[in-house]
Amino acid sequence: MLNITDLQVAIDVDAGMIRAIDGLSLCIERGETFALVGESGCGKSVTALALMRLLPDNARVTEGRVEIDGQEALSLPESAMRRLRGGKVGMIFQEPATSLNPVMRIGDQIVEAIETHTALRGAVARAKAIEWLGRVGIPEPERRIDDYPFRMSGGQKQRVMIAIALAAEPSFLVADEPTTALDVAIQAQILALLKQLQREQGMGMLLITHDLAVVSGMAQRVALMYAGQIVEVAAAAEFFGDPKHPYARLLLQSLPGAHKRGEVLAAITGTVPVLSQQFTGCRFAPRCDRVFDRCRAEVPVLLRPAGALPSLAPPAALPPREVRCWLHVVPGSAEAAEDGGPTSRSAAVATPVVAASAPGWLLDVQDLSVRFPVRTGILQRVSSHAVAVSNVSLQIRHGETFALVGESGCGKTTLGKAIVQLLRGQAVIEGRALLDGQDLFGLHGDALRQARRSVQMIFQDHYASLNPRMRVLDVLEEGLLSLRPELGASARRQLLETLVDRVGLRREALQRYPHEFSGGQRQRIAIARALAVEPRLIVCDEPTSALDVSVQAQILNLLLELQRELGLSYLFITHHLGVVEYIADHVAVMYRGRIEESGPAASLLAAPREEYTRRLLAAVPRLVRA
């Protein structure tokens, strides 16, 4: 269905030309799910945009071929490409907030796709759109079809994006992080829907994701990308059961879970290299724990793990396992590295991490309710109120991580924003939120500004939370100028450079704008901004949802390190229960605006009392190893 041969993509930036994709080749059969995984910035999304001919103006394909169902896509006229794109080939974009038209109702956007690529029109097309909204898990689709995107949560917007991509029932689907913003229950529903469509229509799928548990349950084959190249391609069972490339091995070791609680996760040191340079050796060598001399001196090619010559199989044949690593052709080198020779170094040390604690509650939320006005009529008068949060009470100790889990739209983000005082004037808020005994809802002016230094938030939609007209330096410095005016210019600069180091970005990132970063890199910027003013409580709204597993491990290690050193507390809003098992001290399960069940993390996750909690845990994807 899809055959990519020696694809090369260049991006022109102020610093020169970046070779974002360098010699990528892959073949996907009809009905096959092929997963493309790797760190943020490695070229996964650029690959998807290139084959759909949706690259930005400063990017271009410099070499290679892309054949979709036998048609050479790169040479098609745009009119023919429009029929192919969206009709035969659908795409789920990584960021639904920027992919949905903010001034069009969601129903109109789905109907537009249906009427463009099928014979359905008018009321029939609208009925089909309502059907798809129901299939992707939007409640009350007959009513929500006339909503605008801003009325929906991040997970609901992702579901609308999936409905648009699938509404024309394409033969091939490019899914770029299709379940990133979804809770586990809806994720399970969407993945089951995709499998059903594959069975019914023989739909092939290129699945781009950093969720390795989803990959292990969905994909037949896996390709691992690093710095614009594929470094390992294998059947899913082979990849997860016996990873060959050192990068693959370290990625699997980075996964959080209950079995790693109290340990430092195996985060990969360093960052992806700058792709504007001329490489003389392996691109992973500076970060590899099994590096030896040939790795630095000679560029590796894709090799058979047993040491055979690179595959010369025709594109139509199912390719064998291949690895871009000299370990598998140099006699004895792999064994020497396994024994911890002089050139190997540990990626992580399993040392216990114990959160600092102090007596009493840092945050005490009492009977908090949030109601949003519903306006109707020409004059937009308030006719009723929609209840988003209803009589929620919770307590967070000094140095504790309190996890809040539940389906998207259940009120988790609304609760977090209410605590941080970001809903004043937008909603009716009742109840109290006491920070060290001081009611946040009763503060105004300077007192409220001082409290904001103690309570910060990492937002779920990292792209919308960063000002696109400000450099990263200005984004991070803004909070310091407002909440820490005692710092001088040199002290601020030193603090910001330290921050970007700690969240895994280069210092040159300070001079760039948000649109120049990948989704995961923008999330790191958002985390650095929240940490800059040294708060006591951070409301973390899906802080690792857009991050690949290696960077997720870095961020979780960083959050625990800061908690140990500074006694920070976290209200951790997430749908990733592996992260909850690893980091949380206490867990509350939220459903339709209420706390359904809460308790210590270990006991609640091991033996939930409520039926809803049991269903939620049963939907969690687990990594399947051979």
Side-chain angles (χ1 to χ4, degrees):
M1 189 68 201
L2 174 70
N3 185 27
I4 300 176
T5 307
D6 194 29
L7 182 66
Q8 300 194 29
V9 177
I11 302 177
D12 295 316
V13 297
D14 293 339
M17 186 183 75
I18 293 175
R19 300 180 69 179
I21 306 295
D22 191 3
L24 182 142
S25 297
L26 59 86
C27 177
I28 302 177
E29 303 294 328
R30 294 182 186 279
E32 180 186 18
T33 299
F34 188 102
L36 194 59
V37 299
E39 289 185 85
S40 298
C42 72
K44 305 187 302 295
S45 294
V46 174
T47 300
L49 294 174
L51 68 92
M52 296 291 283
R53 281 178 43 183
L54 292 174
L55 288 170
D57 292 339
N58 65 330
R60 65 191 186 280
V61 175
T62 58
E63 195 174 320
R65 290 174 57 85
V66 175
E67 294 181 6
I68 300 174
D69 198 19
Q71 288 183 289
E72 215 297 303
L74 300 182
S75 61
L76 285 177
E78 182 57 29
S79 59
M81 191 64 200
R82 279 198 298 270
R83 290 192 295 272
L84 187 70
R85 185 195 303 127
K88 181 169 289 187
V89 183
M91 182 164 181
I92 301 170
F93 293 91
Q94 183 176 3
E95 295 179 350
T98 57
S99 301
L100 296 176
N101 190 325
V103 298
M104 284 180 66
R105 292 180 175 87
I106 61 169
D108 294 336
Q109 297 185 56
I110 302 173
V111 168
E112 181 182 44
I114 293 172
E115 292 186 341
T116 301
H117 299 290
T118 73
L120 302 181
R121 298 290 183 272
V124 179
R126 179 179 170 88
K128 191 71 172 178
I130 292 173
E131 177 190 336
W132 274 106
L133 282 176
R135 293 183 76 177
V136 298
I138 297 292
E140 302 178 272
E142 296 84 358
R143 180 178 67 84
R144 300 302 299 274
I145 192 171
D146 292 318
D147 278 353
Y148 288 91
F150 74 89
R151 292 183 178 274
M152 310 193 109
S153 69
Q156 289 171 330
K157 281 185 279 195
Q158 183 74 304
R159 283 180 257 173
V160 172
M161 187 74 249
I162 293 170
I164 293 172
L166 296 178
E169 299 184 1
S171 304
F172 187 75
L173 180 67
V174 180
D176 190 0
E177 302 285 4
T179 60
T180 291
L182 303 183
D183 58 82
V184 291
I186 298 300
Q187 175 179 263
Q189 179 180 332
I190 295 298
L191 296 178
L193 174 62
L194 292 176
K195 286 183 176 180
Q196 177 187 342
L197 289 171
Q198 286 186 292
R199 288 193 303 269
E200 294 174 354
Q201 303 169 199
M203 184 179 73
M205 180 162 55
L206 175 60
L207 177 63
I208 298 172
T209 183
H210 61 263
D211 192 331
L212 296 181
V214 168
V215 171
S216 70
M218 286 287 292
Q220 285 80 50
R221 285 191 297 145
V222 182
L224 177 63
M225 281 192 77
Y226 184 78
Q229 294 182 327
I230 288 179
V231 296
E232 181 168 356
V233 58
E238 291 180 327
F239 180 83
F240 291 107
D242 183 24
K244 294 298 185 184
H245 198 282
Y247 177 45
R249 178 178 53 80
L250 291 173
L251 275 183
L252 293 175
Q253 291 175 359
S254 300
L255 294 172
H259 62 291
K260 293 187 178 179
R261 188 176 177 87
E263 299 179 358
V264 176
L265 293 174
I268 303 173
T269 58
T271 58
V272 178
V274 177
L275 297 182
S276 57
Q277 64 181 294
Q278 188 69 35
F279 291 95
T280 57
C282 175
R283 301 183 181 194
F284 189 63
R287 307 174 67 187
C288 185
D289 61 347
R290 298 184 179 185
V291 64
F292 59 102
D293 292 342
R294 188 176 183 182
C295 301
R296 301 186 182 94
E298 191 174 346
V299 177
V301 293
L302 282 171
L303 306 163
R304 302 276 183 91
L309 294 174
S311 173
L312 299 176
L318 190 63
R321 184 174 197 173
E322 294 179 326
V323 182
R324 193 182 298 273
C325 182
W326 293 126
L327 283 173
H328 302 287
V329 295
V330 179
S333 59
E335 291 78 9
E338 286 283 1
D339 294 337
T343 58
S344 69
R345 63 180 185 274
S346 175
V349 180
T351 55
V353 176
V354 182
S357 61
W361 308 116
L362 172 64
L363 179 71
D364 184 6
V365 177
Q366 302 173 359
D367 299 320
L368 180 62
S369 296
V370 181
R371 295 180 291 125
F372 288 94
V374 177
R375 301 180 183 274
T376 57
I378 297 176
L379 300 178
Q380 290 290 287
R381 290 174 175 165
V382 177
S383 59
S384 61
H385 285 83
V387 179
V389 177
S390 179
N391 297 317
V392 167
S393 297
L394 58 87
Q395 294 80 35
I396 303 176
R397 296 183 183 276
H398 293 267
E400 181 182 49
T401 300
F402 189 106
L404 190 62
V405 301
E407 297 182 37
S408 59
C410 70
K412 306 187 301 295
T413 296
T414 299
L415 175 62
K417 287 183 175 179
I419 292 171
V420 186
Q421 307 301 298
L422 294 179
L423 297 179
R424 292 191 178 197
Q426 302 177 42
V428 177
I429 301 175
E430 299 169 341
R432 301 205 301 169
L434 305 178
L435 183 71
D436 272 342
Q438 186 178 36
D439 188 4
L440 294 173
F441 295 126
L443 300 179
H444 300 276
D446 291 338
L448 178 60
R449 185 177 297 107
Q450 186 64 29
R452 287 194 189 281
R453 178 174 173 179
S454 298
V455 185
Q456 286 289 298
M457 185 166 185
I458 300 168
F459 295 91
Q460 178 180 7
D461 189 346
H462 49 85
Y463 190 84
S465 71
L466 300 176
N467 190 325
R469 299 177 182 272
M470 294 172 65
R471 295 175 303 164
V472 172
L473 173 66
D474 302 319
V475 168
L476 300 183
E477 197 172 38
E478 186 178 32
L480 295 177
L481 291 171
S482 175
L483 301 178
R484 299 187 65 185
E486 74 279 3
L487 294 178
S490 61
R492 287 197 305 270
R493 181 61 183 239
Q494 183 177 357
L495 175 60
L496 296 183
E497 289 178 349
T498 302
L499 269 177
V500 295
D501 288 341
R502 298 191 79 176
V503 299
L505 293 172
R506 296 186 185 84
R507 294 187 179 185
E508 65 192 43
L510 291 170
Q511 303 304 323
R512 295 161 63 187
Y513 290 88
H515 74 271
E516 299 181 72
F517 296 90
S518 69
Q521 289 168 328
R522 281 194 290 266
Q523 187 72 302
R524 285 181 254 177
I525 295 169
I527 292 170
R529 178 177 58 183
L531 295 173
V533 296
E534 297 182 358
R536 289 183 292 160
L537 171 68
I538 300 180
V539 177
C540 305
D541 190 6
E542 302 286 3
T544 62
S545 65
L547 303 182
D548 57 81
V549 292
S550 174
V551 178
Q552 174 182 265
Q554 292 178 20
I555 295 302
L556 292 177
N557 287 342
L558 172 62
L559 292 175
L560 288 174
E561 179 185 346
L562 292 167
Q563 187 174 61
R564 182 181 62 241
E565 294 176 357
L566 306 174
L568 284 175
S569 299
Y570 301 120
L571 174 58
F572 208 94
I573 300 169
T574 185
H575 62 262
H576 193 318
L577 292 187
V579 171
V580 173
E581 291 172 344
Y582 173 71
I583 199 172
D585 302 303
H586 200 95
V587 180
V589 179
M590 201 166 179
Y591 180 61
R592 293 187 176 180
R594 296 178 179 272
I595 299 293
E596 191 77 3
E597 182 175 359
S598 66
S603 58
L604 187 146
L605 296 174
R609 298 187 304 272
E610 300 295 329
E611 177 61 26
Y612 173 73
T613 308
R614 288 195 287 269
R615 291 202 311 269
L616 196 68
L617 294 177
V620 177
R622 300 292 181 181
L623 189 66
V624 179
R625 297 178 186 267

